[in-house]
Amino acid sequence: MESSFAIIAEPNRRSILSLLASSECSVGELERQLRMPQTSVSKHLRVLRDAGFVEARVEAQRRVYRLRPEPLMEVDAWLTPFRRFWTAHVDALERHLDQMDLPPKKGKKR
Amino acid sequence: MESSFAIIAEPNRRSILSLLASSECSVGELERQLRMPQTSVSKHLRVLRDAGFVEARVEAQRRVYRLRPEPLMEVDAWLTPFRRFWTAHVDALERHLDQMDLPPKKGKKR
DNA sequence: AGTTTATATGACTTGACGGGAATATGAATC
DNA sequence: GATTCATATTCCCGTCAAGTCATATAAACT
């Protein structure tokens, strides 16, 4: 359970994170929107919290969870060396489109 | 039916992908650089190939593996809704501007 | 042909993870 | 203070994946 990658390997956890990307949620709200048992939501939230993906604030009986950016930034950073593999493709696609489309005003520095 | 996220949850597979990001490799080269048993490397490559992360070309007795961009692009796309969480805080981080420098064939980057 | 080199596959074991039910904790309301 | 609501934790179980060992395939070399 150590790496951030293992954490987001779980589909339900990714769903939780996606919901929290829109707005912070209580456990009950997550439970209803994802239609999964509360005990499951709580356990996944525990994992996410231990890994630093989310943090909770106590509000009366509720716990309101919100996102923390660091672990996903780490994933994003890991992707960096790979991006050149598809930016190359995008460039090729751009060149191709330039032949049929209007010349774009955006920066094409070469 | 493994998701791309589950594939890169495995540390050894991430190591393989990182090596292939520098240059294509044969199984033996991966085996030596990662210092893991050949049978393990082959099995991870099998998983990576089935998931579309890599493809192999046959070169005599060797299989030379190289990266395929699509699955990692998918991961990158999933991160999109989350990026505002750190681009908002870390101002003007140029991670999405062209980080395209010349890819070195050997030697250390970074 | 037989041997070495390079890679893949199959069988087996082991350990980790997720789901579910039951239970526990704890705050709020009566 | 007992009950209800909201969330967390514990225990058991089934599954699945990774590591290891042995073996299989196939090309290259003698």
Side-chain angles (χ1 to χ4, degrees):
Chain A
M1 205 84 76
E2 65 286 3
S3 81
S4 302
F5 298 90
I7 304 291
I8 62 173
E10 226 291 321
N12 293 315
R13 284 197 284 264
R14 288 201 302 279
S15 302
I16 291 177
L17 291 175
S18 293
L19 277 184
L20 294 181
S22 306
S23 79
E24 47 178 37
C25 286
S26 72
V27 181
E29 289 168 345
L30 293 171
E31 178 190 354
R32 270 173 271 127
Q33 301 204 42
L34 299 176
R35 293 183 178 174
M36 63 189 316
Q38 174 265 321
T39 177
S40 211
V41 176
S42 276
K43 275 200 270 191
H44 285 305
L45 283 171
R46 164 69 179 229
V47 174
L48 289 170
R49 205 181 38 186
D50 287 350
F53 282 78
V54 300
E55 60 188 352
R57 75 166 186 278
V58 180
E59 209 170 73
Q61 332 91 309
R62 315 204 167 163
R63 265 83 165 180
V64 179
Y65 282 84
R66 68 169 172 279
L67 263 178
R68 277 171 44 89
E70 288 83 357
L72 285 177
M73 289 179 65
E74 186 187 326
V75 174
D76 193 59
W78 182 81
L79 284 175
T80 303
F82 300 96
R83 283 192 234 277
R84 67 182 187 87
F85 281 88
W86 58 84
T87 52
H89 278 175
V90 170
D91 283 352
L93 181 62
E94 259 184 14
R95 281 195 297 273
H96 184 249
L97 289 180
D98 284 351
Q99 294 178 340
M100 16 200 290
D101 246 12
L102 298 177
K105 295 302 259 186
K106 314 184 60 172
K108 292 209 44 173
K109 35 205 140 91
R110 184 90 345 156
Chain B
M1 300 302 181
E2 295 270 3
S3 80
S4 302
F5 298 90
I7 304 292
I8 61 174
E10 226 293 322
N12 294 316
R13 283 197 287 265
R14 287 202 303 280
S15 302
I16 291 177
L17 290 175
S18 293
L19 278 184
L20 293 181
S22 306
S23 79
E24 46 179 38
C25 286
S26 73
V27 180
E29 290 169 343
L30 293 170
E31 176 190 354
R32 269 173 271 127
Q33 300 205 43
L34 298 176
R35 294 188 177 173
M36 64 189 316
Q38 173 265 320
T39 178
S40 211
V41 176
S42 276
K43 278 203 225 182
H44 283 307
L45 284 172
R46 165 71 179 230
V47 174
L48 288 170
R49 206 181 38 185
D50 287 350
F53 282 79
V54 300
E55 60 188 352
R57 76 166 185 278
V58 180
E59 208 169 75
Q61 333 91 307
R62 314 200 169 166
R63 265 84 166 179
V64 180
Y65 283 84
R66 68 169 172 278
L67 219 66
R68 277 171 45 87
E70 287 83 357
L72 285 177
M73 288 179 66
E74 185 186 330
V75 174
D76 192 60
W78 182 81
L79 283 176
T80 304
F82 300 96
R83 281 191 237 276
R84 67 183 186 88
F85 281 88
W86 57 86
T87 52
H89 284 145
V90 186
D91 179 63
L93 197 49
E94 297 172 341
R95 71 180 63 245
H96 259 265
L97 300 186
D98 44 338
Q99 57 251 353
M100 298 266 315
D101 44 357
L102 302 179
K105 278 294 193 182
K106 54 194 164 105
K108 321 275 280 188
K109 325 171 57 169
R110 205 313 137 94

